[in-house]
Amino acid sequence: MTVSLDRHRGRYAHVVDVVTVAAVLGCAALGASLTIPGIEQPQDDTPGFVLAAVSCLPLWRGRDHPRTAATVATACTVATAALGYVLTPLLLAPLMIALFWVALGTDRLTTRVFGLAAIAMAVITVVLDNNSTEMVLLRTVGPILWLLLPLVGGNGARLRQAYLESVQARAAYAERTREEEARLRVTEERMRIARELHDVVAHHMAVANAQAGTARHLASTHPAQAQRLLDELTATTSSALLELRATVGVLRQAGDPGGESLEPSPGLERLPDLVATCATAGLDVTVTTEGERLPLSPGVDLTAYRIIQEALTNATKHATDHTAHVRLAYTGSRLKITVTNGGRVAEPPVPGGGFGLMGMRERAHSVGGDLRAGPLPDGGFEVSTALPLQHAAAEGQEATP
């Protein structure tokens, strides 16, 4: 009953406390006025009423101060027993409520100390009372049993309350974890889309810029070649638009029109097209493959293509000899990719690798690989990465462009 009342603390706490104190006081007063046949009790009920009232006063704030309430109730109960009153459950009601709140609101050691002290003092008082020779067993065993009930009940209620609090804490933690995980997934998705957009825009714009510059240079002297380069420029920009539409398409909802991918995710099967596009921009690319070509998971295939694409884009912008070499080596369970360009680097890399190199590293790490990039001792620049053939997180799933 006290557990149910305790839940209403707050708006109705004052009303609940008044009702509780009034009910307990009525029980104690009734217990002081009862007479038991065969047992001699005081004729005057006034001392019993006064002690009952005093023992009920601390119960007003007993839930907040259970030790004080138990101490006062124990003293009043001992005084009542010393006056010759039989400690019936009605007279023990204030002490029982106080002990219940001790068991509910304190630790196990405090509960044992207050409970055993109250029981011992009440029993010893009854035994030492020379006027209480009738039915000594009833006078002693009865209070022990009645006072054990609130101790056991309060301890059980405290354990149940602790269990419910732990369940609520776990639920709150799980909800907070789900929210953090959702935010993390959103952040990762944004970073993935940003990498895709960077790769698409950087590569195609670098190639388009080289094609446009070469076409303008040849326009007056070799108009046929300039026209061919302009046609290739149109194809380059069209390819860029298609990839941009496919990448932005993942932001659409499933039911939106045009939400489906416009083309499959790029992979190493499109490497010849990439080499041809770089050739129109003036970059001579050679590709060598070592070992038996093995199938790649979609995520690793896309990662390998994007790393090569970004490395060749950098070579198109910075390499002075306009040559690059791509080496694919299938060794065991990994694919090693090396992209090198000779000559000197026209512009020094941005400190920390720039966004292009940073995106390549993030891509390699996302599928369980690693990447190294830096200038070569005899000139030029090299990007090397080792990727697993099968990425566990991507197996069986379609890679999104």
Side-chain angles (χ1 to χ4, degrees), residues 24 36-37 113 130 139 150 173 188 247 251 272 277 306 319 357:
V24 174
I36 300 178
V113 170
N130 294 327
R139 289 173 175 266
Y173 175 77
E188 291 177 347
T247 301
L251 298 177
T277 303
R306 290 303 190 195
L357 295 180

Side-chain angles (χ1 to χ4, degrees), residues 24-25 28-29 32 47-57 76 80 91 94:
V24 174
L25 179 59
F49 292 153
V50 173
L51 291 173
V54 173
S55 64
C56 289
L57 286 178
C76 292
T80 302
L91 276 177

Side-chain angles (χ1 to χ4, degrees), residues 224-294:
Q225 295 183 15
Q227 183 63 41
R228 180 175 58 84
L229 285 175
L230 291 177
D231 293 339
E232 292 174 349
L233 176 59
T234 302
T236 300
T237 54
S238 298
S239 178
L241 289 175
L242 285 175
E243 289 204 38
L244 283 174
R245 290 176 61 189
T247 301
V248 178
V250 301
L251 298 177
R252 300 178 183 269
Q253 297 181 359
D256 291 345
E260 300 82 2
S261 288
L262 300 177
E263 59 179 12
S265 302
L268 292 182
E269 74 281 353
R270 290 179 53 181
L271 188 55
D273 297 335
L274 178 61
V275 172
T277 303
C278 292
T280 63
L283 182 66
D284 185 15
V285 182
T286 58
V287 180
T288 59
T289 303
E290 300 178 4
E292 181 183 358
R293 184 169 182 176
L294 301 173

Side-chain angles (χ1 to χ4, degrees), residues 71-319:
T71 301
V72 175
T74 300
C76 292
T77 300
V78 170
T80 302
L83 292 176
Y85 290 94
V86 178
L87 298 180
T88 61
L90 295 175
L91 276 177
L92 291 173
L95 181 57
M96 293 172 66
I97 296 296
L99 291 180
F100 183 89
W101 280 334
V102 168
L104 179 64
T106 63
D107 57 275
R108 184 175 300 179
L109 178 60
T110 302
T111 301
R112 290 178 179 177
V113 170
F114 276 85
L116 293 178
I119 293 174
M121 293 177 65
V123 172
I124 291 175
T125 302
V126 172
V127 171
L128 295 180
D129 185 7
N130 294 327
N131 297 325
S132 301
T133 57
E134 302 93 351
M135 305 180 70
V136 177
L137 186 62
L138 176 62
R139 289 173 175 266
T140 55
V141 175
I144 293 176
L145 296 179
W146 286 112
L147 293 180
L148 284 176
L149 287 178
L151 295 176
V152 175
N155 185 67
R158 177 174 55 82
L159 294 178
R160 183 175 181 274
Q161 180 177 337
Y163 171 75
L164 293 177
E165 290 176 354
S166 66
V167 170
Q168 293 174 356
R170 288 196 298 269
Y173 175 77
E175 183 67 23
R176 187 167 57 252
T177 302
R178 283 195 295 269
E179 294 176 356
E180 293 176 355
E181 183 179 356
R183 286 194 296 268
L184 179 60
R185 290 182 177 179
V186 170
T187 301
E188 291 177 347
E189 183 65 11
R190 288 175 177 173
M191 292 179 61
R192 187 190 65 78
I193 295 174
R195 287 196 300 266
E196 291 291 336
L197 291 175
H198 173 272
D199 292 344
V200 171
V201 172
H203 171 71
H204 288 290
M205 291 303 101
V207 173
N209 180 68
Q211 291 172 337
T214 304
R216 187 180 65 174
H217 178 72
L218 297 175
S220 58
T221 58
H222 300 81
Q225 295 183 15
Q227 183 63 41
R228 180 175 58 84
L229 285 175
L230 291 177
D231 293 339
E232 292 174 349
L233 176 59
T234 302
T236 300
T237 54
S238 298
S239 178
L241 289 175
L242 285 175
E243 289 204 38
L244 283 174
R245 290 176 61 189
T247 301
V248 178
V250 301
L251 298 177
R252 300 178 183 269
Q253 297 181 359
D256 291 345
E260 300 82 2
S261 288
L262 300 177
E263 59 179 12
S265 302
L268 292 182
E269 74 281 353
R270 290 179 53 181
L271 188 55
D273 297 335
L274 178 61
V275 172
T277 303
C278 292
T280 63
L283 182 66
D284 185 15
V285 182
T286 58
V287 180
T288 59
T289 303
E290 300 178 4
E292 181 183 358
R293 184 169 182 176
L294 301 173
L296 304 176
S297 66
V300 176
D301 198 16
L302 173 63
T303 299
Y305 177 83
R306 290 303 190 195
I307 289 177
I308 296 174
Q309 182 185 52
E310 179 63 24
L312 293 180
T313 300
N314 292 337
T316 301
K317 293 187 293 184
H318 303 303

Side-chain angles (χ1 to χ4, degrees), residues 5 14 34 46 68 85 95 107 143 157 164 171 210 226 240 246 256 261 265 276 321 333 343 354 364 367 369 387 397:
L5 295 177
H14 181 71
L34 289 178
T46 303
T68 302
Y85 290 94
L95 181 57
D107 57 275
L164 293 177
D256 291 345
S261 288
S265 302
D321 64 349
S333 60
V367 296
L387 307 176
Q397 299 181 0

